[in-house]
Amino acid sequence: MRSGRKAPGDMDEEGLVRLVARGDRAAFEELYRRTSPWMAVRLRRRCADEQIVAEVMQETYLAVWRAAGAFAGTAVGGTAVGWLWTIAARRLVDAFRRRAHHAEPPPAAAAQPVAPAAEEEALAATVGGDVGDALRRLAPELRQVLQAMVLDGLSVRETAVLLGLPEGTVKTRARRARIAMRKALA
């Protein structure tokens, strides 16, 4: 190793992505080692099907290997971890769409009462009491933005990419959600 160059284990995630963009397999392995455990946990919060989670993980890291050169990083206010999560979240949505497209529910399923989504149950377990009640009363589009920005720690840009919305819409919904939460908790 040349002097002055850090080993992949000594770099932050953004540096690892930059090395991956140059085809550095050791950097990719280090990035995977660091990020795959929390990625799997976050995906499982949104999907209980282990097969889908495994597929999404594989597709995500394949996309990272192929598209690491497209990572803009802090130059556009993003982080490597946020970029990874955005890719994973999109792949998860794609997996849900594929499943929905290939599996028509039986007519009797429509008559069944709708169970809360896994994400709603995870949210209820994470945030309880008055705050949890106020969150659950928010309109779904406001709750999605608030969850992405506050609970998942994504930036406005990352939230916009994740939800497929313009940044201005994300900011407006975040403001509306905060106002609604303040009123509900007053």
Side-chain angles (χ1 to χ4, degrees), residues 123 127-138 181 184-185:
L123 182 62
V127 182
D130 294 339
V131 174
D133 291 340
L135 265 173
R136 284 183 286 282
R137 284 193 301 266
L138 282 177
M181 289 293 290
L185 296 172

Side-chain angles (χ1 to χ4, degrees), residues 72-122:
T74 54
V76 294
T79 64
V81 171
W83 181 69
L84 283 167
W85 175 243
T86 299
I87 293 170
R90 283 186 168 180
R91 295 300 186 274
L92 184 60
V93 169
D94 290 345
F96 286 151
R97 285 181 182 152
R98 280 192 305 270
R99 282 275 165 103
H101 179 71
H102 294 295
E104 280 295 318
Q112 299 293 329
V114 177
E119 191 167 72
E120 294 296 322
E121 289 178 3

